[in-house]
Amino acid sequence: MTVKETIDRLRSELHRHNYNYYVLNSPEISDKEFDDMMSELQDLERENPEYQDNNSPTMRVGSDLNKNFTQVEHRYPMLSLGNTYSESEVADFYERVQKGLNEDFEICAELKYDGTSISLTYENGKLIRAVTRGDGEKGDDVTDNVKTIRTIPLILHGNNYPPLFEIRGEILLPWVVFEKLNEEREAREEPLFANPRNAASGTLKSQNSSVVASRKLDAYLYYLLGEELPYDGHYENLQEASKWGFKISSHMKKCHSLADIFNYINYWDVERKNLPVATDGIVLKVNSIRQQRNLGFTAKSPRWAIAYKFQAERALTRLNKVTYQVGRTGAITPVANLDPVQLAGTVVKRASLHNADIIENLDLHIGDMVYVEKGGEIIPKITGVDKDTRGMLLGEKVKFITRCPSCGSNLIRYEGEAAHYCTNETACPPQIKGKIEHFISRKAMNIDSLGPEKVDAFYNSHLIKDVADLYTLTVEDIKQLDRMGQKSAENIINGIAKSKEVPFERVLFALGIRFVGETVAKKLARSVKDIDELQDAGIEMLKNIDEIGEKIAQSIVAYFQNAANRILVERLKSVGLQFSRKEEAVNYSDKLSGQSIVISGVFSKHSRDEYKDIIEKHGGKNSGSISAKTSFILAGENMGPAKLEKADKLGIKIISEEEFIDLIS
Ligand code: IVH
């Protein structure tokens, strides 16, 4: 085989495996085999630059080059849809279509995905351009970034596609990925993304495509445009496009009456909460393209389609006061204290106000009636003030505090940051307690016999003043406290002792060094031999480690420059915590011996690779596809419908992450 033939073979196999893994959710080969093939291809491409190809699977990995986006004009303008929140306006739309067409018609009902829209152009089966909506007339060329999204095919399957066409859809960040991303950002004290939509559009506009590649964006395509489409039906065209390799929603439905449409709306208003991605409504489209053409467009939107938006869950209530919380890093969070109000199934009494700028922009006064929304956000937030209800009795204007509510130190605001900080790191009680709480948390030292209340009690009764004090506590010390019996005291001491086995990477995370979240801690622990090497590392050495930039490097160096931190680490070392890298102790068992296990979906406790590892360590075999020989399926969220159906047909048991962990523990 010539080099060119090898390159072509590798490319075509990698495209196929990508599709199996990301779109069908059904890999045929192991991640290791995939990675090996990818590096073989990368090497060959590096050595033979004459065979460079913009649609090679290696483009999925992204590049570190910074670039500004070029603006590209859309071949067909990217219009938006008319919006409605009311069922009667949906009925009006239906009637207008009926009158306009004066013949039978079908309506395709589909989910309105809440991400950021994208237009993809394919020529001769290859992705040639990806452009954002922009102002509708022209958008940013984000092709390199989009190429890193695994559910978007670079090369189409089969040969039944039109020679030139455009397909539009929505780029999304799945909930689980969004939550994980925000957890990591929180640990690194970076500003959180308010919702998956902002996270997706922020990511897509990133200047560094390797950042995009790491974020696991997803894409659903919902609109095909071109001169030579296979069918007259929009629904039928998209089913066809799914055969070319696109990810098309499996929840589209053709409706033949207004009643069908309302059933669809009512079903998804509830059921959408179980979807892996955010949706904010339903889109209704006349299915026939010929009929679409007959109906045409207004200046802003098509007459053949409408979006019905779900009500954002919102409530109106009174703002009683604003209190301020001090986090473990000294960051101050303003919190609105509200009259309790029912919202999306829970009673809301407090909402985050984020920072001083948000308070200023809302022009908040005590006693104001404010709107609270949950929407796609994790914590309820205040989205507005009902100024009409203020009347003559305007309350006091909310002014951000200038001193720490706990220790009274002056607050500072670092340049370019939205938050205010208390800098009294070593003596401000909530910061100290916050650091201890972080230290014992599940992903850090996992001392679950302790919790925030006990930390509070231990700290207030002067039993502990930092995390190292935990390791010199005795049962007798703890028993002195109110409501603490022998048994619970022993439990706590055992939990603390057990944490001495927690591996280096988690101990590093537990220290709570600014910007060192779980992922960074892992990278560091795998790159240095022990804590001494990390303590002595300079900025430049740290920056050589994958994913560590200037800001993180500076924070690590500053942490170890502080003598108090070095003393703390020495004390933790002397009580026996793990401060050096160890080959992981393997806990072999034969609990899964002889079993063939298929992994499917998205997981929250371990990654897919970790589960594969666990299966092997317990004597089982991981298999990519379901067959009669499959013993069971380890299913996370978002298991593909095709797999579900197959499992059902063959009567194969599906077990959850929790059940699996129980099984092997
Ligand atoms: S069709 C001309 N279908 O909603 C019609 N749009 O204002 C083109 N969206 O910008 C859009 N899900 O980003 C269509 N199933 C869906 C959609 C959808 C989400 C977004 C899209 C567009 C906005 C409509």
Side-chain angles (χ1 to χ4, degrees):
M1 214 185 271
T2 64
V3 172
K4 177 73 173 58
E5 280 166 349
T6 313
I7 290 181
D8 285 346
R9 179 183 56 81
L10 285 168
R11 282 178 184 162
S12 110
E13 281 186 27
L14 282 163
H15 278 308
R16 191 167 61 81
H17 291 307
N18 251 324
Y19 176 73
N20 286 343
Y21 188 93
Y22 289 100
V23 180
L24 299 184
N25 219 345
S26 171
E28 281 171 9
I29 58 170
S30 71
D31 290 5
K32 169 89 176 48
E33 285 168 293
F34 183 90
D35 292 344
D36 288 348
M37 260 160 101
M38 183 67 92
S39 23
E40 189 184 345
L41 179 59
Q42 273 169 329
D43 290 347
L44 285 174
E45 287 180 351
R46 205 174 311 113
E47 288 155 17
N48 303 281
E50 67 275 28
Y51 300 133
Q52 202 250 347
D53 181 329
N54 282 338
N55 288 78
S56 166
T58 52
M59 300 306 276
R60 302 262 198 214
V61 186
S63 112
D64 282 340
L65 291 179
N66 272 12
K67 56 190 167 319
N68 292 316
F69 300 109
T70 347
Q71 295 224 317
V72 181
E73 200 149 325
H74 292 294
R75 183 186 294 257
Y76 312 92
M78 271 179 99
L79 301 179
S80 60
L81 294 170
N83 272 337
T84 172
Y85 287 90
S86 89
E87 295 204 349
S88 75
E89 283 182 25
V90 171
D92 293 346
F93 162 76
Y94 197 81
E95 212 169 288
R96 277 198 306 276
V97 170
Q98 224 159 14
K99 280 215 182 99
L101 292 174
N102 205 14
E103 61 178 345
D104 283 350
F105 61 93
E106 291 175 322
I107 294 285
C108 180
E110 45 197 81
L111 292 168
K112 185 169 186 307
Y113 289 103
D114 193 13
T116 180
S117 47
I118 194 75
S119 154
L120 309 173
T121 304
Y122 285 80
E123 199 173 275
N124 299 324
K126 287 188 178 172
L127 172 65
I128 57 163
R129 199 177 308 116
V131 185
T132 62
R133 177 168 188 277
D135 61 5
E137 297 290 333
K138 49 187 174 349
D140 283 329
D141 184 332
V142 288
T143 313
D144 288 346
N145 284 349
V146 163
K147 280 185 175 168
T148 68
I149 303 173
R150 313 285 169 147
T151 39
I152 293 183
L154 302 181
I155 303 222
L156 300 183
H157 300 188
N159 47 18
N160 275 339
Y161 42 77
L164 178 69
F165 68 92
E166 199 176 318
I167 190 162
R168 293 183 183 166
E170 205 79 355
I171 293 186
L172 300 146
L173 198 70
W175 285 112
V176 277
V177 184
F178 165 71
E179 277 153 20
K180 179 136 190 289
L181 180 64
N182 262 354
E183 267 174 35
E184 286 167 7
R185 289 174 79 86
E186 192 169 16
R188 292 197 302 263
E189 288 191 32
E190 289 173 1
L192 300 191
F193 285 119
N195 51 46
R197 178 184 1 99
N198 291 2
S201 63
T203 304
L204 196 64
K205 292 290 187 69
S206 167
Q207 293 290 319
N208 177 339
S209 58
S210 61
V211 168
V212 189
S214 72
R215 290 259 175 97
K216 304 197 177 69
L217 290 168
D218 202 348
Y220 284 93
L221 285 312
Y222 46 61
Y223 186 26
L224 201 56
L225 296 105
E227 313 301 320
E228 299 169 75
L229 303 183
Y231 298 104
D232 176 56
H234 156 76
Y235 177 91
E236 290 72 17
N237 278 332
L238 286 181
Q239 300 311 311
E240 191 64 22
S242 81
K243 297 184 197 147
W244 307 335
F246 292 107
K247 185 159 175 174
I248 308 291
S249 169
S250 53
H251 307 305
M252 295 167 67
K253 188 172 189 311
K254 286 205 281 181
C255 297
H256 299 94
S257 67
L258 204 47
D260 278 359
I261 293 174
F262 289 144
N263 280 339
Y264 186 88
I265 289 180
N266 293 332
Y267 176 79
W268 283 109
D269 197 1
V270 180
E271 200 51 39
R272 72 192 180 106
K273 291 174 187 133
N274 300 320
L275 292 170
V277 293
T279 54
D280 62 343
I282 298 292
V283 180
L284 303 168
K285 299 173 183 166
V286 170
N287 194 50
S288 152
I289 297 176
R290 176 185 58 82
Q291 291 179 334
Q292 289 182 1
R293 226 176 281 128
N294 281 347
L295 289 165
F297 291 84
T298 69
K300 282 195 305 211
S301 52
R303 288 200 186 86
W304 46 264
I306 194 169
Y308 171 86
K309 300 249 271 187
F310 298 124
Q311 270 315 330
E313 302 189 70
R314 182 169 102 145
L316 192 63
T317 187
R318 185 178 306 279
L319 172 71
N320 292 324
K321 64 174 177 190
V322 175
T323 51
Y324 297 84
Q325 281 177 350
V326 188
R328 72 178 158 92
T329 56
I332 309 286
T333 311
V335 178
N337 292 241
L338 308 164
D339 271 354
V341 66
Q342 190 77 31
L343 179 62
T346 55
V347 175
V348 174
K349 294 188 210 126
R350 288 145 60 85
S352 170
L353 283 164
H354 300 288
N355 57 51
D357 292 345
I358 292 197
I359 294 179
E360 193 54 41
N361 290 342
L362 285 166
D363 181 29
L364 270 190
H365 289 69
I366 300 300
D368 275 348
M369 291 303 285
V370 293
Y371 289 104
V372 203
E373 264 184 36
K374 255 194 193 160
E377 279 73 31
I378 341 168
I379 312 161
K381 66 170 187 184
I382 296 195
T383 52
V385 177
D386 182 6
K387 293 198 172 144
D388 295 344
T389 52
R390 268 183 182 164
M392 303 286 285
L393 293 162
L394 186 61
E396 195 189 326
K397 187 171 163 68
V398 178
K399 270 232 166 90
F400 205 87
I401 46 171
T402 53
R403 286 174 177 278
C404 173
S406 178
C407 72
S409 305
N410 278 327
L411 302 184
I412 64 157
R413 188 171 176 175
Y414 300 106
E415 211 179 301
E417 287 204 31
H420 283 75
Y421 286 88
C422 163
T423 51
N424 184 12
E425 229 186 286
T426 43
C428 177
Q431 290 193 57
I432 299 173
K433 285 191 266 186
K435 284 192 174 79
I436 304 175
E437 280 169 24
H438 168 73
F439 184 83
I440 63 170
S441 64
R442 189 169 62 81
K443 289 182 171 171
M445 304 305 283
N446 193 20
I447 308 178
D448 58 3
S449 49
L450 282 174
E453 276 151 34
K454 293 198 179 96
V455 168
D456 211 44
F458 287 13
Y459 179 83
N460 293 341
S461 51
H462 308 290
L463 279 184
I464 54 171
K465 56 181 187 330
D466 59 34
V467 295
D469 288 344
L470 288 172
Y471 293 89
T472 50
L473 280 177
T474 63
V475 171
E476 297 312 313
D477 290 338
I478 298 176
K479 268 169 54 186
Q480 295 167 20
L481 298 180
D482 266 1
R483 287 177 291 133
M484 267 299 168
Q486 174 78 18
K487 195 104 195 87
S488 3
E490 277 173 12
N491 219 356
I492 293 172
I493 295 293
N494 289 342
I496 296 174
K498 208 169 134 244
S499 75
K500 292 182 188 172
E501 290 159 24
V502 163
F504 181 33
E505 58 187 48
R506 278 171 46 201
V507 177
L508 257 184
F509 171 58
L511 290 179
I513 304 172
R514 221 169 158 211
F515 306 129
V516 178
E518 235 188 312
T519 327
V520 171
K522 259 189 204 150
K523 294 261 151 132
L524 288 173
R526 285 169 196 175
S527 312
V528 296
K529 182 166 93 274
D530 53 22
I531 192 94
D532 297 337
E533 196 179 328
L534 189 64
Q535 215 152 280
D536 297 338
I539 305 249
E540 288 314 311
M541 181 266 173
L542 289 167
K543 275 165 61 186
N544 278 332
I545 302 174
D546 191 23
E547 275 187 42
I548 312 272
E550 182 74 28
K551 194 168 77 170
I552 303 178
Q554 272 181 8
S555 162
I556 297 168
V557 169
Y559 180 88
F560 288 111
Q561 265 167 1
N562 183 336
N565 289 332
R566 283 216 304 277
I567 295 170
L568 183 79
V569 168
E570 278 313 312
R571 287 170 60 213
L572 290 173
K573 236 195 226 173
S574 71
V575 296
L577 297 206
Q578 306 292 324
F579 276 109
S580 58
R581 191 172 54 194
K582 271 216 184 75
E583 285 318 315
E584 229 178 283
V586 187
N587 241 336
Y588 289 105
S589 91
D590 57 1
K591 287 197 173 135
L592 302 176
S593 150
Q595 308 211 40
S596 166
I597 298 149
V598 172
I599 304 181
S600 178
V602 185
F603 298 92
S604 53
K605 299 205 161 41
H606 293 280
S607 69
R608 245 167 195 273
D609 285 344
E610 282 166 355
Y611 276 122
K612 285 183 187 166
D613 221 41
I614 296 173
I615 290 174
E616 277 163 24
K617 281 178 184 154
H618 291 274
K621 192 176 147 276
N622 170 233
S623 145
S625 55
I626 302 174
S627 72
K629 286 193 214 127
T630 306
S631 314
F632 63 84
I633 299 169
L634 166 56
E637 276 190 50
N638 193 20
M639 174 172 165
K643 276 197 174 168
L644 263 176
E645 203 176 294
K646 194 156 181 196
D648 200 36
K649 220 189 250 161
L650 296 169
I652 290 163
K653 204 159 80 188
I654 297 178
I655 76 169
S656 69
E657 265 189 286
E658 289 75 16
E659 288 169 319
F660 179 74
I661 291 170
D662 272 354
L663 182 77
I664 53 157
S665 62

